[in-house]
Amino acid sequence: MHASKRHRHGLLATGLASLLLAAASAGPAAATGPQGTGTLQQQVDAVHDTGAVGVFAEVTSPGSRDSARAGTARAGTGRPMPWNGRFRIGSATKPFTATVVLQLVGEGRLSLEDTVEEWLPGVVRGNGNDGRLITVRQLLQHTSHIPEVLPEVPALNGADGYRAERFRAYTPEELVATAMRTPRVPGAGWSYSNTNYMLAAMIVQKVTHRSWAHEVRSRIIRPLGLGGTVVPGTFPLVPGPHAQAYTAFGTGAGTGTDVTVLDPSMAVGSGSLISTAHDLNRFYAALLGGRLLRPAQLDEMRTTVPTPDADVRYGLGLGEIASTCGGSYFGHPGNLLGYRTWGGATQDGSRTAVVYVNSDGGRETQGAMTALVDQELCRFRP
């Protein structure tokens, strides 16, 4: 049975502020390979104990890299989680898309105050949706109130839909047109929608005359040497070493269905990238360390607005989360059919932490993941 649309919207559009706030309260030696002992291992074990099939985490700082794993890469076997395996990063794709858009802003080819209508005439229209009244900034900031489209994708919303449509390919234009059939919810403030970032990907293509995938590769992946990061397009497999992914589609019925194989084109710009924990750490370090954006655009990305939770704010593709040790850090969760990740970095990008699991886990899994990131980023704070 499919989940209700109300439940599916929460599952897929993520209720991001709740994910960001799920954390509980909470001088390394340089490492040349995986580390299997110590506090990080204990935290990874704690995530696994919440019901995740497998867990992997990596923490980096200048001259240091520590990683740990627990559980299995395939349910019901003894096969361990791969060291630095690939996985679908879901909404952790959004900081990549926002970075490309802000690079174009820094080059003078686009303005954050441009309207969607200026770049995509007639695309956002109908049922109260009007691209003439929505800016590029509002797309990246999730303040456009454009409807969420992912609840209309059968492969993401139930085991039957997944089996029937896991190889179905979508275009961003098709998905946005579907979203426009839903009435816009009037109001102001923050409201998370993956459709925002599909539109951002379409604008990138309109501005550059090259695909979003090309721009992500040429502007981020290649310059940073992110060898584990893939823009899969319509390719349904996870290449290279990886764990299988499992979801029960919100039913709570055990481990659920193996959903590793998926055409991820329903998430172009918003959630389709495949990466590794190490590559995500390198990306966050480069981004917040000022290696990808000019100072003015990095300041724009880090300028935040309130979300429904007082301790979480959202910038342009990054969440700002209050730390248990005081201050805040930047990061983003990701969730695409069984693969769930949480990663973040200190304000200057000098210390990063990424954890992922390959199943829904239990009620406490997200809290344990965010607690791990919080504790690791706080660990060596002066």
Side-chain angles (χ1 to χ4, degrees):
M1 179 181 294
H2 292 287
S4 70
K5 182 169 287 189
R6 180 178 180 182
H7 173 77
R8 286 184 281 138
H9 189 279
L11 176 68
L12 297 169
T14 72
L16 183 68
S18 296
L19 288 180
L20 295 178
L21 273 182
S25 299
T32 58
Q35 302 298 299
T37 61
T39 303
L40 180 61
Q41 183 65 58
Q42 292 170 355
Q43 291 180 93
V44 165
D45 290 340
V47 175
H48 180 242
D49 290 345
T50 67
V53 171
V55 189
F56 181 86
E58 183 189 89
V59 180
T60 67
S61 58
S64 173
R65 176 183 172 189
D66 190 13
S67 54
R69 63 184 179 178
T72 61
R74 185 186 293 272
T77 74
R79 179 181 147 206
M81 290 290 284
W83 292 114
N84 202 37
R86 286 181 170 141
F87 61 98
R88 301 189 192 279
I89 69 172
S91 285
T93 298
K94 290 179 174 68
F96 287 77
T97 299
T99 297
V100 171
V101 171
L102 287 165
Q103 286 180 345
L104 294 171
V105 170
E107 294 163 10
R109 303 171 68 181
L110 177 67
S111 169
L112 289 172
E113 310 315 321
D114 288 347
T115 65
V116 174
E117 182 73 11
E118 289 177 61
W119 291 104
L120 304 172
V123 170
V124 177
R125 289 289 179 88
N127 290 303
N129 301 293
D130 190 344
R132 296 170 297 181
L133 305 178
I134 297 169
T135 65
V136 173
R137 181 189 301 277
Q138 290 174 308
L139 295 180
L140 299 184
Q141 200 176 58
H142 291 301
T143 53
S144 73
H145 286 254
I146 286 176
E148 172 63 63
V149 70
L150 292 189
E152 307 306 322
V153 177
L156 300 181
N157 294 297
D160 292 341
Y162 168 76
R163 294 186 187 101
E165 298 210 4
R166 59 182 171 167
F167 295 113
R168 178 178 173 180
Y170 292 86
T171 66
E173 292 80 5
E174 175 187 3
L175 292 162
V176 171
T178 298
M180 292 304 102
R181 295 200 288 267
T182 300
R184 179 179 183 270
V185 178
W190 190 82
S191 180
Y192 192 84
S193 173
N194 286 283
T195 315
N196 286 317
Y197 276 74
M198 297 172 192
L199 285 162
M202 292 169 66
I203 290 173
V204 166
Q205 180 163 345
K206 196 67 176 287
V207 173
T208 64
H209 305 290
R210 291 183 292 268
S211 69
W212 166 82
H214 179 278
E215 295 302 307
V216 170
R217 290 189 194 101
S218 65
R219 291 172 175 271
I220 301 174
I221 295 174
R222 289 175 189 153
L224 295 182
L226 304 182
T229 303
V230 177
V231 188
T234 60
F235 186 67
L237 305 181
V238 179
H242 65 276
Q244 303 299 110
Y246 303 90
T247 182
F249 293 97
T251 66
T255 299
T257 303
D258 185 330
V259 290
T260 312
V261 175
L262 178 72
D263 179 332
S265 56
M266 82 291 288
V268 167
S270 66
S272 64
L273 291 183
I274 293 169
S275 192
T276 67
H278 185 53
D279 275 8
L280 285 178
N281 277 323
R282 293 176 65 195
F283 168 69
Y284 283 126
L287 176 61
L288 291 164
R291 292 167 51 198
L292 290 173
L293 294 174
R294 299 175 184 182
Q297 280 69 57
L298 184 56
D299 286 346
E300 292 279 15
M301 177 177 266
R302 290 160 46 104
T303 298
T304 58
V305 297
T307 73
D309 289 287
D311 291 334
V312 176
R313 299 178 65 88
Y314 199 85
L316 304 184
L318 280 180
E320 183 178 15
I321 305 93
S323 300
T324 57
C325 55
S328 62
Y329 66 93
F330 287 98
H332 211 289
N335 177 6
L336 186 60
L337 280 195
Y339 292 115
R340 300 173 64 183
T341 186
W342 176 235
T346 53
Q347 295 270 341
D348 62 357
S350 62
R351 187 166 178 84
T352 65
V354 170
V355 58
Y356 81 93
V357 298
N358 63 335
S359 68
D360 297 339
R363 296 179 60 183
E364 306 302 323
T365 299
Q366 186 66 44
M369 292 169 68
T370 49
L372 182 154
V373 171
D374 177 85
Q375 183 169 328
E376 290 301 324
L377 296 182
C378 284
R379 185 181 302 281
F380 295 99
R381 180 168 174 167

